[in-house]
Amino acid sequence: MTDFTDNPPGNDVPKRRRNSGGITLRDVARLAGVAPITASRALNNPSVVSDAIMQRVKDAVAQTGYVPNMLAGGLASRKSRLVAAVIPTITGNVFLEMVQSLTAALAQHGYQVMLGQSGYEDSREDELLEAIIGRRPDGVVLTGIMHSAAGRKRLLSSGIPVVETWDLAPNPIDMLIGFSHEKVGRAVAEYLHARGRRRVATLGADDDRAQRRMRSFSDAAITLGMAAPGEAAIPALVAPAPTNTGFGRTGLRELLEQHADIDAVFCSSDMVALGVLTEAQALGIAVPSQLAVIGLGDLAFARELHPALTTVRIDGALIGATAARFILDRSQDRDVGERILDIGFSIIERDSA
């Protein structure tokens, strides 16, 4: 006996049969007026069918509520159509541009992104990677370099394409897209020195990448004579990652209580820099005439602040799009070319410095 759904008379949506397991790809193909193999191509690799056929298949899917059985398709093709992206924190807006670009580029080829939050501890990242590898995605995109020996071993053994991002190293697991954090620190110190700043400080997070930026900044600043007389280091405060505006406010207050002559602060993120600007205003400190402030990330709000925030821009969209291309090329057995890509960075000069 047929179990009819509540379709209005004349609707051609296939009826769900009691023991059929639901709407099938054949039902979608019949409604779209195409062969099942064409419907399958439209859903799994949209770029190989015409726009007209793609629209007909989409309309049929919308009418039927069909959801492809990705497990069955994956077993048949040995592809999951999933790419795992691992970021330290979902509250870190600095990674959002990369994730959006990665997602959009992969979606054009029928892939979806599975997002994982690793935190800033290697042990948590190892646990997350074990869960991800067990699901056999078609690619893994990591934020930063994999430092854990166990994690590297698992990824190498899996045979899954891996793209490490937001850093540089001579020996990536597979492919790498990033920039030198040491060069960022050095460039910011030179930028401030060229603009007459002589007593600089840092407000940084305790993660490895931020610490390398800050150490490089400090070393360059000392070489340029930007430490106080008789001091072998510049003032620096560190907070657990991810840092926020609250750290920027309390950090600036603490720095000034101990070093009243500070005339510039390099922050590990735009969020911290926003806190510094807020506290400077509360304390009646003029920016930039009395205090210069530089962030990192060039988040959307940076240009809208008053004064507008000088910051280090990293092209997250380029990282995401390139990571997608690397994974797609590898999945099609195409040569990806150079496996290590340095995208560089730029200092966006605005009113705060």
Side-chain angles (χ1 to χ4, degrees), residues 82-90 95 98-100 102-103 106 112-118 125 128-129 132 137 139-143 163 165 320 323 327:
L82 283 176
V83 172
V86 179
I87 59 176
T89 172
I90 57 175
F95 304 118
M98 178 191 77
V99 173
Q100 289 176 331
L102 175 72
T103 301
L106 290 171
Q112 302 298 323
V113 171
M114 176 173 60
L115 192 63
Q117 178 178 274
S118 64
E125 189 172 51
L128 180 60
L129 281 175
I132 287 172
V140 176
V141 179
L142 300 175
T143 303
V163 183
T165 64
I327 289 171

Side-chain angles (χ1 to χ4, degrees), residues 183-195 197-198 200 216-222 224 226 266 294 347:
K183 287 183 179 179
V184 168
R186 188 160 56 250
V188 172
E190 291 170 350
Y191 175 94
L192 289 171
H193 185 268
R195 283 151 185 80
R197 305 297 169 166
R198 293 297 181 266
V200 298
S216 178
F217 174 87
S218 177
D219 291 345
I222 292 168
L224 291 166
M226 300 165 79
F266 177 34
I294 297 185
I347 297 178

Side-chain angles (χ1 to χ4, degrees), residues 259-277:
H259 310 276
D261 60 345
I262 288 172
D263 63 4
V265 181
F266 177 34
C267 305
S268 60
S269 71
D270 285 354
M271 294 300 291
V272 175
L274 173 59
V276 170
L277 289 175

Side-chain angles (χ1 to χ4, degrees), residues 151-164:
R152 287 182 65 89
K153 184 175 181 180
R154 286 192 183 97
L155 287 167
L156 286 167
S157 300
S158 72
I160 298 170
V162 176
V163 183
E164 293 165 286

Side-chain angles (χ1 to χ4, degrees), residues 95-150:
F95 304 118
L96 181 60
E97 191 177 38
M98 178 191 77
V99 173
Q100 289 176 331
S101 176
L102 175 72
T103 301
L106 290 171
Q108 292 178 1
H109 298 271
Y111 287 78
Q112 302 298 323
V113 171
M114 176 173 60
L115 192 63
Q117 178 178 274
S118 64
Y120 286 90
E121 298 177 5
D122 288 346
S123 58
R124 170 69 183 123
E125 189 172 51
D126 285 345
E127 293 172 4
L128 180 60
L129 281 175
E130 187 171 353
I132 287 172
I133 293 169
R135 286 162 175 76
R136 288 297 186 271
D138 291 333
V140 176
V141 179
L142 300 175
T143 303
I145 300 297
M146 171 54 65
H147 295 289
S148 161

